Structures are given as structure tokens and as C-alpha cells.
Amino acid sequence: MKVSFHGHSVVKIETNGKTILIDPFINGNDQCDLKADDVKADVILLTHGHNDHVGDTVDIAKRNDALVVAPFELATYLGWKGVNTHPMHIGGAHEFDFGRVKLTQAFHGSAYTDEEKQEIIYTGMPSGILFFAEGKTIYHAGDTALYSDMKLLEKYRIDVAFLPIGDNFTMGPGDAAVAAEWIGAKKVVPVHYNTFPVIEQNPDAFADALGNDAGHVMRPGDELEL
Ligand code: NI
Ligand code: MN
């Protein structure tokens, strides 16, 4: 299985002959090395409805005839925009032909903002994503605050965890370091930083401070082989 990072919270997983994109915010994301017009995807997994996570989902899904897996309210909203969806919700898992997906809690908001109409469309609860394939476990925390039930994630023996460190909207580096310790993932990759001035952070300082050599900074386009 190949896992790559593409700036902000964009993660790509290649497994079982399928390409899976998580939170494909490409246009408007200066940190991203992908092009929304030619990126390949069989599946798009979304953590929540904020524009910096839904991103280019509708265009990418229509062009690739991709399946969009998201929390129920967000999946319903995107289904109305003409994409194939599979709704899920927090605590639920489903076995797909590309792997097993389980949604976790995230302490955050979830809404799609239509700037033109000055409308906020609430899209239910935000989530994190556990992804299981080829005997490996990946955790994408989405946007979240630190919360004590993260300790429960330890039982999934996570191989790679993507944790936000940007602060302001999510955990900052200090809280993310506590989360990393609780989760006990073999590798912890910081995400959701340096996309906007308000979330500027030093990912290397964060990674170096983690115990067990878990910290692993990925630059946009960097790949891990699991
Ligand atoms: Ni958000
Ligand atoms: Mn965000």
C-alpha cells in the first residue's frame, strides 16, 4: 500500500488496485502538488463539510465516476450535486472492496460555505477516519481538538496517524503531541499547517519532540510504503 501527503489535509492511498483520496482540497491550496483537473480517484473519503476538506470533491468525483464516502448529512448534500455517495456515521464501519472504513469522533464543526450566496449549509457532525487494508491501519484525524476518548484509538494499533497541528481551528502542536502519545501510532504525520498564515507551524519541531521516533514529516508529494 502506498500512502502520500499532498498539503493541508490531503492524503492519497493506493491499495487493492484503487486510488483513494482523503479531503481533496486542491484548488486554493498552495501547498498541494496535485492538479484537480487530472488527479485520478476511485474513491474520495471526506472527514467533514468545511470547504478546505470538501475542496474539489464534486469535480473530481464526476470526472472519475468516483464513490464519495462521507458522514450522512454531507453525503446527502453532495449526492444532490450529482455524485455517487456512500453515507456513514460516527462509530460505524463498512467493508468496501478497497478496504474497511470506520468513522471516529472529531471535536470540530461541519458546514459547507457557499460564498456567493453567503449561505452556510450545516453538514452534521465532523469525523475522523480509520482505514484498514492489507493488514495495516491508517488514521486521518480530520479537524479536531484534543479529546480524551482519543485514548480509545490505541486498540486499533495504528501504523500511520495524520494529526492536525495548525492550532486556531484544530489542535496545535502541544495538544497534537498529547494525542500522538495516547494513540500510540507507529508513525505520526503532522497535517493542516502552513496553508494559511493563521495556521503557520514548524512541523519538524513537532515531529522531533515526539517519543519513540514516531514523528514523520511528509512534504507535499512524499510517499510512504506500508
Ligand atoms: Ni474544518
Ligand atoms: Mn480544516
Side-chain angles (χ1 to χ4, degrees), residues 48-53 108-110 143 169-170 192:
H48 66 294
H50 286 156
N51 300 43
D52 62 318
H53 295 259
H108 191 63
S110 184
D143 282 355
F169 300 112
T170 67
H192 211 272

Side-chain angles (χ1 to χ4, degrees), residues 118-139:
Q118 297 194 352
E119 232 171 55
I120 290 179
I121 297 122
Y122 277 91
T123 48
M125 298 278 281
S127 69
I129 295 168
L130 284 164
F131 180 70
F132 310 91
E134 300 181 42
K136 304 288 181 184
T137 304
I138 295 168
Y139 171 55

Side-chain angles (χ1 to χ4, degrees), residues 20-146:
I20 300 146
L21 285 178
I22 303 180
D23 288 358
F25 167 50
I26 297 173
N27 282 314
N29 174 5
D30 293 341
Q31 301 283 318
C32 193
D33 62 313
L34 302 174
K35 297 257 176 296
D37 290 343
D38 66 11
V39 70
K40 181 187 174 303
D42 299 292
V43 180
I44 297 172
L45 305 180
L46 296 178
T47 59
H48 66 294
H50 286 156
N51 300 43
D52 62 318
H53 295 259
V54 172
D56 303 283
T57 292
V58 172
D59 290 344
I60 296 169
K62 283 184 177 170
R63 186 171 48 75
N64 286 281
D65 199 20
L67 178 69
V68 178
V69 179
F72 179 82
E73 294 82 357
L74 177 57
T76 303
Y77 177 67
L78 294 174
W80 290 337
K81 290 188 176 287
V83 304
N84 297 327
T85 62
H86 180 109
M88 294 184 68
H89 234 307
I90 295 164
H94 186 77
E95 193 80 45
F96 294 89
D97 61 358
F98 55 87
R100 181 174 171 83
V101 176
K102 183 176 173 102
L103 297 191
T104 72
Q105 287 184 34
F107 253 77
H108 191 63
S110 184
Y112 190 80
T113 307
D114 189 324
E115 298 282 352
E116 256 169 52
K117 292 185 194 160
Q118 297 194 352
E119 232 171 55
I120 290 179
I121 297 122
Y122 277 91
T123 48
M125 298 278 281
S127 69
I129 295 168
L130 284 164
F131 180 70
F132 310 91
E134 300 181 42
K136 304 288 181 184
T137 304
I138 295 168
Y139 171 55
H140 188 297
D143 282 355
T144 187
L146 178 67

